[in-house]
Amino acid sequence: MVKFSKQFEGQLVPEWKEAFVDYCQLKKDIKKIHFLNNPTTNTDKNKTSFAKSLVSSLRKYVFLDHKQREPRVIQVHRKLATSASTGDLYETELLEQFADTDAAVEFFACLDLQLNKVNQFYRNKEKEFLDRGESLKKQMDILVELKTSLNQKRAKGTPSNDSKEEDSISGTISCDEESIKDAIDAEEGVEGLSGELDKDDVKLPKSPRSLRIKKDDVVNRQGRNLRIHIPLTNPTRAFSAITYLLRDDLKSNQASSKKCGPEANKLLINKKKLHHAEKMIRGAFVELYKGLGYLKTYRNLNMLAFVKILKKFDKVTGKQVSPIYLRVVESSFFNSSDKALKLADEVEEIFVKHFAEDNKRKAMKYLKPTHRKESHAVTFFIGLFAGCFIALFVGYVIMAHITGMYRSSSDTVYMETVYPFLSMFSLLFLHFFLYGCNIYMWRKTRINYSFIFELSPTKELKYRDVFLICTISMTALVGVLFLHLSLVAKGYSYSQVQAIPGFLLLVFIIVLICPFNIIYKSSRYHFLSVMRNIVLSPLYKVVMLDFFMADQLCSQIPTLRNLEYIACYYITGSYKTQDFNYCSRNTYYRDLAYAVSFLPYYWRAMQCARRWFDEGQKIHLVNLGKYVSAMLAAGAKVAYEREKNVGWLCLVVIMSTSATVYQLYWDFVKDWGLLQFNSKNPWLRDELVLRKKFIYYFSLVQKKNIPPKKIKSFFIYLYS
């Protein structure tokens, strides 16, 4: 039977871990009481146990009305809240002496602290969710009226003057000066919040009260197109869909609305923008429902923790404390308040009515999505293709040895053209394999990486999927190289067989961009969108997954260089003439090679600049300096290769040393949180996810021997 402490740790919400009952600390306090109550010698233990059993028997048979006559052991005092935000506080007073009063006092002080902490956290979260729910319901009402008006006018079949323009409806802006001012203030408030809110703490501003939709408005097909800002991230950041929808129109019509003219009051919203708003609000309702589910889990687990720990206390001390204290816990705020539960029911009703066509089963697919079941077939094929890869790789090595590819007089053309191809894909899929290892470790240590990276729980890649992709790809790669080497050994000319590796590269690219719903389409397109965001870094708001992937690209510079060489080799037709040095001799290619080496650091620097622009935190500028120092070091090296003298050599040494120290310090102290001198874990940090500390020390040592970001990809999120 699994201990409750492990069940408790396995079911709690990782993001709220600090807000849960500190069950481990309470268990330590009980063990301390148990140790002080029991004498050290076995004889004393036997005597004590015999005396306790004798006393309990006498109490059982002599005192017939024992439960009623037994005095109260403790009394829990309730201090009324000084303000609505703080809530009531509880403090326990011991009315009866314990074997070790100090330890008991310490235990109940800790227990009261946990109860007050849970109540306060639940109160704050409940208020937050209620505010979000109320704001969403107001926006939903506006959306329903807009859709109703649009549907009514479409049903009348009003002819269109321009077929290219979309259906739109006209609303009115109230001429009341105060209402207009409230609307504009709400808009400005939304703009200020849009760059500051995180996924775990989204607050929904109120929708403009000045917007009033008339259900008998006419359809205007000559209305101008509205500019709508759809947030880049998933629907959790769509905290004000209707407000975003109407932002530009409220501002552009502010002056005309004050005139109170009939034409000035019209506000045109087309069907496409309305569909976007509906999608965003639907996502916001899903996230709200998910948060309410987390709050329900928080409530139930903490209640169960209080029950379990008080039973342990009764068992150790022989006192009947749990009935008294549990009555207080049951009547406390976190267990007695039902507002969050009612809100969850309301969200279900709204979602079923407006987004699922009164089909509750369909609504539950959005609100409570079921995770993909891991098939045993995936594990089977991983083993199958891993075995095929090993067999083909051994065969390839043996054939290369027989044909003399490893000798000094080996075929230079083969080594210069095929091995960059092998190196590129090997490094790429090795990195991808390590990502699968990351996922396995994150799941094992209960790090909510899906929440951190904002991945869809139903569509994300599991570690088995990653391993399957790696084994299939490497099997195909080594199989093609084995076939290529076999044809070369049989005497086929390079002009006949050299196109085979390029054909495999083309197949990989086609699979990556394939529009059909096969081979993990959602993951492939998500990867392409992330790469687009990285390439256009200053233009997109930077989210967690974007700069994580950009960090990984800094470790894949050799892969990018090999990809550039292979592209040049095949595009210029060098594979037909076997002039493999053509690209190396070309000045434009060499300059482009240097640019490719700079690009990952440039992209990462632009992301830091964008985050500083959005968030205003100077720490992002300091992080930007790390990547600028790497670019300066690379630039000094390029200059030294073109003009080798002592001055450039000294500059290369200085710049490289500075960049290395800069990056090591940032990775150790800022990214990993290590090298904390005052920590209870020497040279580490106070809170560690992994219990075995040698893993952190091992990563520190390896960091000195491996270029920055190689080991970091394995350990970057071992901290919750």
Side-chain angles (χ1 to χ4, degrees):
M1 186 175 179
V2 182
K3 292 184 178 180
F4 173 74
S5 57
K6 292 185 177 180
Q7 290 181 346
F8 184 72
E9 293 178 1
Q11 296 178 17
L12 57 80
V13 183
E15 293 76 32
W16 299 347
K17 184 177 180 180
E18 297 300 323
F20 277 83
V21 173
D22 193 350
Y23 191 78
C24 294
Q25 182 60 44
L26 292 172
K27 278 184 65 177
K28 290 179 182 179
D29 293 342
I30 289 180
K31 287 181 180 179
K32 182 179 179 182
I33 295 174
H34 180 67
F35 176 77
L36 294 173
N37 285 349
N38 293 335
T40 55
T41 60
N42 293 330
T43 307
D44 292 339
K45 286 183 181 180
N46 294 333
K47 290 180 179 179
T48 306
S49 60
F50 175 75
K52 285 184 178 180
S53 61
L54 181 61
V55 170
S56 61
S57 300
L58 289 174
R59 286 180 176 178
K60 183 176 180 180
Y61 292 105
V62 175
F63 302 102
L64 298 178
D65 197 15
H66 170 67
K67 291 184 179 180
Q68 296 180 1
R69 297 183 181 182
E70 183 181 16
R72 294 174 62 86
V73 183
I74 61 171
Q75 183 176 357
V76 183
H77 300 283
R78 179 180 179 182
K79 297 182 179 179
L80 297 179
T82 56
S83 62
S85 59
T86 56
D88 299 337
L89 298 178
Y90 295 93
E91 185 176 347
T92 304
E93 178 187 0
L94 302 185
L95 302 179
E96 184 177 316
Q97 292 294 325
F98 288 79
D100 185 42
T101 307
D102 293 337
V105 169
E106 184 178 349
F107 169 79
F108 280 107
C110 183
L111 194 64
D112 294 336
L113 179 64
Q114 299 303 315
L115 179 58
N116 295 330
K117 178 184 72 175
V118 169
N119 279 327
Q120 184 62 32
F121 181 83
Y122 190 89
R123 186 186 303 275
N124 295 337
K125 280 296 175 182
E126 185 184 65
K127 183 179 182 301
E128 175 189 336
F129 286 129
L130 290 175
D131 292 341
R132 290 169 60 184
E134 192 65 27
S135 199
L136 268 178
K137 284 187 284 187
K138 290 180 180 179
Q139 295 180 54
M140 190 69 228
D141 293 339
I142 297 175
L143 181 64
V144 169
E145 293 192 29
L146 288 171
K147 290 178 64 178
T148 303
S149 299
L150 182 60
N151 292 334
Q152 287 178 353
K153 299 312 171 185
R154 286 181 64 189
K156 292 180 180 180
T158 306
S160 175
N161 295 328
D162 188 356
S163 59
K164 293 183 179 180
E165 295 187 7
E166 300 182 26
D167 293 345
S168 61
I169 65 172
S170 61
T172 59
I173 301 297
S174 172
C175 292
D176 182 38
E177 296 288 342
E178 184 178 353
S179 299
I180 294 171
K181 184 178 179 181
D182 290 341
I184 301 303
D185 292 342
E187 289 298 309
E188 294 174 354
V190 171
E191 289 179 346
L193 286 172
S194 60
E196 299 174 0
L197 298 181
D198 294 330
K199 180 176 181 180
D200 188 39
D201 193 19
V202 178
K203 296 180 187 281
L204 300 169
K206 295 182 179 179
S207 55
R209 289 173 294 176
S210 60
L211 180 64
R212 298 174 186 171
I213 304 301
K214 292 184 178 180
K215 295 185 179 180
D216 57 347
D217 287 332
V218 298
V219 178
N220 189 340
R221 292 178 177 268
Q222 294 181 348
R224 62 184 177 83
N225 289 330
L226 302 180
R227 294 193 309 273
I228 177 173
H229 170 65
I230 303 295
L232 168 68
T233 56
N234 61 14
T236 57
R237 295 185 184 271
F239 50 83
S240 188
I242 294 294
T243 313
Y244 271 126
L245 181 69
L246 304 176
R247 172 191 298 171
D248 294 328
D249 296 271
L250 285 172
K251 289 184 176 180
S252 62
N253 289 296
Q254 180 183 6
S256 59
S257 297
K258 292 181 180 180
K259 299 178 182 179
C260 296
E263 296 297 328
N265 288 339
K266 286 190 176 181
L267 179 66
L268 304 177
I269 305 169
N270 62 40
K271 184 176 64 174
K272 184 178 179 181
K273 308 305 180 185
L274 210 59
H275 176 70
H276 280 299
E278 181 181 3
K279 186 176 180 180
M280 293 163 69
I281 291 182
R282 182 182 65 187
F285 270 114
V286 171
E287 292 299 324
L288 175 62
Y289 189 82
K290 187 188 297 184
L292 292 171
Y294 288 153
L295 196 62
K296 183 179 179 181
T297 302
Y298 177 83
R299 170 182 180 165
N300 295 336
L301 281 180
N302 281 313
M303 186 65 204
L304 191 57
F306 280 116
V307 172
K308 292 289 185 181
I309 204 67
L310 287 169
K311 283 185 177 180
K312 286 182 178 292
F313 183 84
D314 290 353
K315 184 177 179 181
V316 169
T317 59
K319 307 287 186 180
Q320 293 297 319
V321 172
S322 57
I324 303 172
Y325 203 92
L326 282 179
R327 281 196 294 270
V328 177
V329 175
E330 289 172 356
S331 62
S332 63
F333 183 84
F334 87 94
N335 191 63
S336 60
S337 178
D338 60 348
K339 294 180 181 179
L341 301 179
K342 291 181 179 179
L343 179 60
D345 295 336
E346 292 179 14
V347 171
E348 279 189 21
E349 294 176 2
I350 293 173
F351 205 92
V352 170
K353 181 179 179 181
H354 297 291
F355 300 109
E357 301 174 352
D358 293 327
N359 188 340
K360 189 170 183 179
R361 180 175 297 180
K362 181 180 178 181
M364 288 299 107
K365 290 182 180 179
Y366 289 97
L367 297 176
K368 293 182 179 180
T370 55
H371 295 272
R372 271 190 305 118
K373 293 183 179 180
E374 297 182 355
S375 174
H376 294 294
V378 175
T379 307
F380 169 76
F381 283 112
I382 290 173
L384 176 64
F385 285 107
C388 294
F389 164 70
I390 294 172
L392 287 171
F393 184 74
V394 171
Y396 177 78
V397 172
I398 293 174
M399 182 173 290
H401 182 74
I402 293 174
T403 55
M405 291 298 174
Y406 298 140
R407 297 173 187 170
S408 57
S409 59
S410 62
D411 191 346
T412 307
V413 176
Y414 185 87
M415 298 296 291
E416 292 291 336
T417 57
V418 175
Y419 271 85
F421 186 87
L422 175 63
S423 174
M424 178 187 68
F425 279 106
S426 298
L427 284 175
L428 181 63
F429 289 113
L430 175 62
H431 205 125
F432 197 47
F433 174 79
L434 292 179
Y435 173 70
C437 297
N438 271 339
I439 295 177
Y440 175 77
M441 290 298 298
W442 292 335
R443 290 188 63 182
K444 189 175 181 180
T445 52
R446 299 201 72 251
I447 295 175
N448 196 351
Y449 66 93
S450 299
F451 176 85
I452 296 172
F453 292 140
E454 301 182 4
L455 301 175
S456 173
T458 58
K459 298 180 181 179
E460 63 173 339
L461 289 177
K462 310 298 183 183
Y463 69 92
R464 286 188 176 90
D465 298 322
V466 175
F467 292 157
L468 180 62
I469 294 172
C470 290
T471 52
I472 292 176
S473 302
M474 289 304 297
T475 301
L477 172 64
V478 178
V480 167
L481 293 181
F482 184 84
L483 174 64
H484 179 268
L485 184 59
S486 302
L487 295 175
V488 171
K490 289 181 179 181
Y492 286 87
S493 63
Y494 279 105
S495 60
Q496 293 176 305
V497 300
Q498 204 67 353
I500 295 177
F503 177 75
L504 179 62
L505 176 61
L506 183 62
V507 170
F508 277 124
I509 295 175
I510 292 174
V511 170
L512 182 62
I513 64 176
C514 177
F516 302 108
N517 192 17
I518 56 174
I519 316 176
Y520 306 105
K521 178 187 174 182
S522 60
S523 298
R524 289 188 286 109
Y525 274 58
H526 194 188
F527 170 75
L528 292 175
S529 66
V530 170
M531 295 303 298
R532 176 205 62 192
N533 298 343
I534 293 174
V535 173
L536 304 175
S537 293
L539 306 180
Y540 285 90
K541 184 176 178 64
V542 182
V543 295
M544 177 65 195
L545 186 58
D546 293 345
F547 67 77
F548 177 79
M549 283 296 298
D551 260 350
Q552 305 313 305
L553 285 179
C554 294
S555 302
Q556 288 293 337
I557 292 178
T559 301
L560 297 177
R561 295 285 296 269
N562 287 332
L563 178 61
E564 180 197 11
Y565 173 79
I566 292 171
C568 177
Y569 180 70
Y570 283 101
I571 292 174
T572 59
S574 300
Y575 71 98
K576 297 179 181 178
T577 61
Q578 300 310 309
D579 186 9
F580 59 86
N581 286 325
Y582 172 79
C583 294
S584 302
R585 294 194 306 267
N586 193 301
T587 305
Y588 296 106
Y589 169 80
R590 290 200 301 269
D591 294 339
L592 185 60
Y594 293 134
V596 168
S597 301
F598 277 84
L599 276 178
Y601 295 106
Y602 167 77
W603 290 331
R604 193 66 189 89
M606 290 299 99
Q607 287 182 336
C608 294
R610 176 59 192 260
R611 293 191 69 189
W612 170 77
F613 179 79
D614 290 337
E615 302 173 16
Q617 297 181 4
K618 295 182 180 179
I619 192 69
H620 298 307
L621 291 179
V622 181
N623 194 15
L624 183 147
K626 179 181 70 170
Y627 298 100
V628 172
S629 67
M631 288 190 286
L632 292 176
K637 184 179 179 182
V638 171
Y640 173 72
E641 289 178 353
R642 293 185 174 182
E643 185 180 350
K644 295 186 177 182
N645 55 46
V646 178
W648 282 113
L649 177 62
C650 294
L651 184 61
V652 168
V653 172
I654 293 173
M655 294 301 300
S656 300
T657 304
S658 303
T660 302
V661 173
Y662 199 158
Q663 293 181 20
L664 287 175
Y665 171 80
W666 188 272
D667 290 339
F668 285 154
V669 179
K670 298 297 182 181
D671 284 348
W672 294 6
L674 305 180
L675 300 180
Q676 304 294 328
F677 301 105
N678 298 325
S679 172
K680 62 182 180 182
N681 302 307
W683 295 92
L684 301 180
R685 54 183 286 179
D686 291 335
E687 296 181 5
L688 301 178
V689 174
L690 300 181
R691 295 181 180 179
K692 298 179 180 179
K693 300 179 184 178
F694 78 89
I695 297 178
Y696 297 95
Y697 295 118
F698 175 76
S699 65
L700 284 171
V701 175
Q702 288 297 316
K703 186 71 173 178
K704 298 177 181 178
N705 301 323
I706 297 180
K709 316 268 179 217
K710 292 289 185 181
I711 292 297
K712 180 181 177 182
S713 64
F714 227 120
F715 296 97
I716 186 172
Y717 282 112
L718 288 182
Y719 305 99
S720 57

